[in-house]
Amino acid sequence: MGVVLITGANRGIGLEFVRQYAEEGIEVIATCKRPDEAKALILLTDKFPNLSVEKLDMNSDEDLKVLRLTLEKSDIQLDILVSNAGVLLKESFGEWTRQSFVDTFDINVIGAAMLAQSLIPSLSPNGKIVQLSSRLGSLDFGGEGIIDADSYSMSKAALNMLATRLAVIVKESSQCVVSMSPGWVATDMGGTAATLQVNESVFKMRRSIGALTPSDSGRFIDNQGNPLPW
Ligand SMILES: NC(=O)c1ccc[n+]([C@@H]2O[C@H](COP(=O)([O-])OP(=O)(O)OC[C@H]3O[C@@H](n4cnc5c(N)ncnc54)[C@H](OP(=O)(O)O)[C@@H]3O)[C@@H](O)[C@H]2O)c1
């Protein structure tokens, strides 16, 4: 048994992580922006006594502080932190706006950094942080495959650097930080043409997360744990 905390847990990949880890009997802390409106998550809490829900808007320092204090007060140590919340705000070149770049970076990069800073003190000695990244963040692939996702691709490249920096920060411990691409997944973000169903993607990622060791820290990997080019 362990404790898993997941951000952006009210739909898509985050919600599926909640369902699969809760089914496994692990204690799950699911976080989302508006718990009162998270209908699918509330339904899961009826089914799983090992699931609790906490408010966390990735833009809110106040939410992060409250979450950190809640974990500290209950002496909860996290075995896995799934940093999943993210946005893809599509805009084509010529119509780029400063605001959508700011919003994308605020959630996908700065939010993930602040989350890690707040919760690493509550990470267990062998704890793992898994950041949901994307092949679109690979400099080698050049943001291939999707149009009008420039700010998103840039944000995932920056998120990959965050994994590298965090790996350096925890390197004296047995903790592990990775950036993981879930594949192209059929969610609101991935759309219906995606090649993977959400349950398949999360099943593969859970298996890969289970196999991670401290020597994997700082890697950028796919849902099967294979290396992706930076
Ligand atoms: N689907 C794919 O093919 C794919 C591929 C590569 C990487 N990824 C990555 O995988 C992760 C999950 O993607 P997904 O497909 O499940 O996306 P999704 O269906 O669009 O869900 C995104 C989740 O992030 C949450 N979120 C957005 N802004 C937030 C904020 N400020 N605070 C808290 N939560 C926030 C959303 O909550 P609300 O409902 O409250 O907005 C939602 O729960 C993302 O990081 C994404 O970049 C996805």
Side-chain angles (χ1 to χ4, degrees):
M1 288 280 257
V3 184
V4 179
L5 188 143
I6 301 155
T7 64
N10 57 308
R11 60 188 168 99
I13 291 171
L15 180 66
E16 185 62 17
F17 264 118
V18 171
R19 197 184 64 72
Q20 292 194 20
Y21 276 127
E23 228 156 43
E24 211 181 306
I26 290 173
E27 194 183 321
V28 178
I29 303 169
T31 70
C32 62
K33 249 189 313 196
R34 287 182 285 271
D36 295 350
E37 296 169 21
K39 289 196 183 111
L41 198 51
I42 291 165
L43 279 178
L44 288 183
T45 57
D46 293 339
K47 194 170 165 196
F48 297 110
N50 50 328
L51 168 60
S52 59
V53 180
E54 300 290 344
K55 176 174 169 15
L56 178 60
D57 183 331
M58 296 298 288
N59 291 129
S60 166
D61 288 337
E62 181 57 26
D63 281 4
L64 265 180
K65 188 174 155 197
V66 171
L67 179 63
R68 180 171 56 78
L69 291 175
T70 304
L71 297 182
E72 281 174 8
K73 266 191 208 143
S74 313
D75 219 4
I76 291 173
Q77 292 224 309
L78 302 175
D79 296 289
I80 302 172
L81 168 58
V82 184
S83 186
N84 164 79
V87 289
L88 193 176
L89 306 176
K90 285 192 177 182
E91 273 178 352
S92 48
F93 177 70
E95 293 180 353
W96 289 351
T97 59
R98 184 176 299 274
Q99 195 58 53
S100 79
F101 277 65
V102 168
D103 291 345
T104 301
F105 271 73
D106 206 3
I107 295 167
N108 293 4
V109 187
I110 301 168
M114 295 301 126
L115 176 80
Q117 177 173 259
S118 296
L119 300 195
I120 280 180
S122 297
L123 198 63
S124 79
N126 301 308
K128 302 169 182 179
I129 299 181
V130 179
Q131 299 187 154
L132 270 280
S133 185
S134 168
R135 289 170 61 96
L136 299 183
S138 164
L139 301 179
D140 287 39
F141 293 151
E144 70 176 12
I146 186 164
I147 48 168
D148 301 340
D150 306 291
S151 60
Y152 177 82
S153 300
M154 289 164 60
S155 75
K156 293 299 184 180
L159 183 72
N160 287 350
M161 178 53 96
L162 174 63
T164 305
R165 292 304 309 151
L166 292 173
V168 171
I169 287 162
V170 304
K171 77 172 188 302
E172 301 303 335
S173 73
S174 299
Q175 295 165 332
C176 172
V177 187
V178 295
S179 262
M180 184 177 282
S181 167
W184 185 19
V185 188
T187 60
D188 293 339
M189 186 185 291
T192 49
T195 48
L196 272 176
Q197 292 306 307
V198 69
N199 59 332
E200 293 173 77
S201 166
V202 171
F203 180 81
K204 288 179 179 175
M205 286 194 281
R206 276 178 43 244
R207 201 168 44 192
S208 302
I209 293 167
L212 289 175
T213 69
S215 65
D216 293 309
S217 201
R219 294 177 66 209
F220 177 31
I221 51 182
D222 69 12
N223 58 24
Q224 312 225 53
N226 301 313
L228 286 169
W230 293 102

